[in-house]
Amino acid sequence: MKNMTTFTKAIITVSAASLLLVGCDLKKKDEAAEQKATTIEQIQAEKGKPAITTTATTDEITDVRKFSGAIEGMQQTYAISKMSDPLAKINVQVGSSVKKDQVLAEYIFTGDNTQYQQAQEQIAILQKATERMRELHAKGGISQQDMDTQEMQLKVAKMNLETARRATKILAPAAGIVTEMNYKVGQVPGLGGVFCTIAKLDQVILKLNVTSKDIGYFKKGATATVEVAGEKLKGKVTLIPLAANPQTRFFPVEITFNNKDKKLLPGMYVTAELEARKVKGIVVPLEAIVYRNGVNTVWTVTKDGKAKRKVVQTGVQTKHFVQILDGLEEGEEVMVTGQFRMNDGDKVLVNEIDGRPAEDSMEKPGFEDAK
């Protein structure tokens, strides 16, 4: 019994010692975790919060404005119907290349469109009468004045015949490419109806309706760019009107593009980027701007390595850069990353990658002066 009691006490003693050791290990782990948690704060307090910076420099950037409009063919013309009759035959389709006066379509012959046949009959009668009068004139039977009058009547009749002949068909008013068809066989264009549109596509025009606020950005000869199927095409501003359209109050500006590959087609609605003007001033990367509560700010690094927040006024903005009009001086060190973790007065640790400034590894222009 005594041995049993001694054994039991030994077990209790060993268990207590084990629990004590486990408790010590847990305490050490907690202390290590606590020590690790405070290590980052200590490093940041000693060496600073990490950030990537660049230098605010004076540079020239291009103010690019976007405007949208529709493409039209150069020298665009319309084939007009001159009769109110159904179409019997159409000889062209969209994309067809045509010559001036080429027959585009013909009408169905009806009892209402006999003017051409009547003109033919009148010509036949006048020609016979004129031949007889020429014989009489040769014999002295009629005066030269009578002969001249008769010749004039025949000439006018032939002109009327040509007019009537042209009216029985729809002819191309100019050479070019058919860009739009408005009717099919059997349909009636009606007198004055636009049968089709013909344009020259080696050059095309982008027509923009520009407001009074924006018309000042346009200069004749300025470059404009549109993107079609991933390809950028450049054109030039060729027409800036001196007055707005009285109905729309817009200024109809024209931009001309060379279009030999026919990539810009009439009716396309595209957006053009216009190089409106070049401005010079203090420029920083767009990433440096922090917009919050209606205010633009940047975070700078002072000479003693402390973070300082500055309110700035921005100007022209491009895809990667922004002009600073007020609030920042040339040469100041500006944060492009890490600024969202900063408080005024924090110590800043400027990071470097591979011994070079971090910005130098970025695939964006304008970081040549990165710190």
Side-chain angles (χ1 to χ4, degrees):
M1 190 67 161
K2 182 178 180 180
N3 291 335
M4 180 63 71
T5 302
T6 302
F7 180 71
T8 303
K9 287 181 178 180
I11 291 175
I12 293 173
T13 301
V14 171
S15 298
S18 299
L19 290 172
L20 181 60
L21 289 172
V22 171
C24 289
D25 288 342
L26 290 174
K27 185 177 180 181
K28 288 180 179 179
K29 289 181 179 179
D30 290 342
E31 289 177 351
E34 184 177 353
Q35 181 67 21
K36 186 177 181 180
T38 58
T39 298
I40 296 176
E41 296 174 0
Q42 289 175 351
I43 291 175
Q44 289 184 350
E46 293 175 5
K47 296 186 177 181
K49 292 182 179 179
I52 297 175
T53 65
T54 188
T55 302
T57 58
T58 298
D59 204 349
E60 185 179 77
I61 60 175
T62 302
D63 184 8
V64 177
R65 302 276 170 157
K66 293 184 178 181
F67 301 91
S68 298
I71 295 291
E72 293 184 4
M74 182 71 75
Q75 299 179 14
Q76 191 163 284
T77 56
Y78 306 96
I80 305 298
S81 172
K82 296 181 180 180
M83 299 183 71
S84 298
D85 293 296
L87 296 171
K89 185 179 180 182
I90 295 177
N91 302 321
V92 294
Q93 58 186 356
V94 172
S96 296
S97 180
V98 299
K99 297 179 180 180
K100 187 177 185 305
D101 289 336
Q102 180 177 327
V103 177
L104 306 177
E106 301 176 30
Y107 296 99
I108 294 175
F109 179 77
T110 67
D112 297 328
N113 56 14
T114 59
Q115 185 176 1
Y116 178 59
Q117 287 74 18
Q118 292 174 353
Q120 284 181 314
E121 291 296 329
Q122 185 180 12
I123 289 289
I125 294 171
L126 284 173
Q127 282 180 331
K128 290 180 180 180
T130 302
E131 289 175 1
R132 289 195 298 268
M133 292 186 70
R134 283 173 182 161
E135 293 176 359
L136 290 173
H137 179 261
K139 297 177 180 179
I142 61 172
S143 66
Q144 183 62 45
Q145 183 177 355
D146 291 337
M147 189 69 243
D148 291 341
T149 301
Q150 182 64 27
E151 294 281 3
M152 180 58 68
Q153 289 179 355
L154 179 60
K155 185 176 181 180
V156 171
K158 288 181 177 180
M159 293 172 62
N160 291 337
L161 175 64
E162 177 59 20
T163 300
R165 184 192 71 80
R166 294 175 68 89
T168 61
K169 299 175 176 63
I170 299 179
L171 306 179
I177 294 175
V178 178
T179 60
E180 184 180 9
M181 296 281 295
N182 298 323
Y183 296 95
K184 298 179 180 179
V185 170
Q187 293 182 327
V188 181
L191 184 64
V194 177
F195 169 69
C196 72
T197 303
I198 298 171
K200 292 183 178 179
L201 297 184
D202 285 346
Q203 283 188 324
V204 293
I205 296 171
L206 172 60
K207 283 199 171 181
L208 305 175
N209 288 321
V210 180
T211 64
S212 300
K213 178 182 177 182
D214 293 328
I215 190 63
Y217 290 116
F218 287 84
K219 305 296 180 186
K220 194 169 183 180
T223 300
T225 305
V226 298
E227 187 171 335
V228 179
E231 182 178 353
K232 291 187 176 182
L233 307 174
K234 292 187 179 293
K236 297 287 185 183
V237 176
T238 51
L239 177 63
I240 304 173
L242 298 178
N245 183 303
Q247 281 75 42
T248 65
R249 301 299 179 187
F250 289 116
F251 291 83
V253 174
E254 293 184 2
I255 300 173
T256 300
F257 293 85
N258 290 324
N259 192 44
K260 291 184 178 180
D261 294 332
K262 309 295 188 294
K263 292 186 176 180
L264 292 172
L265 300 176
M268 279 185 173
Y269 193 79
V270 298
T271 298
E273 293 186 346
L274 176 75
E275 296 180 4
R277 55 178 175 159
K278 292 185 181 296
V279 296
K280 191 172 184 179
I282 296 173
V283 175
V284 298
L286 195 58
E287 293 89 343
I289 303 297
V290 178
Y291 180 80
R292 188 173 296 165
N293 298 326
V295 177
N296 286 310
T297 63
V298 296
W299 283 87
T300 63
V301 181
T302 62
K303 291 182 179 180
D304 57 354
K306 300 295 180 66
K308 183 175 179 60
R309 178 177 176 269
K310 288 192 170 186
V311 176
V312 295
Q313 181 183 352
T314 59
V316 172
Q317 179 178 316
T318 67
K319 189 176 181 179
H320 297 300
F321 299 99
V322 61
Q323 177 193 25
I324 304 298
L325 300 176
D326 189 36
L328 193 66
E329 299 293 331
E330 182 181 9
E332 289 195 73
E333 193 173 356
V334 178
M335 299 182 202
V336 291
T337 65
Q339 64 266 50
F340 294 98
R341 298 187 297 269
M342 296 293 172
N343 297 304
D344 271 317
D346 284 347
K347 191 172 183 180
V348 182
L349 173 64
V350 177
N351 285 344
E352 291 186 354
I353 298 176
D354 296 331
R356 296 171 298 162
E359 296 82 357
D360 285 351
S361 65
M362 296 184 179
E363 294 181 355
K364 286 184 180 180
F367 288 92
E368 297 83 5
D369 297 324
K371 294 283 185 180

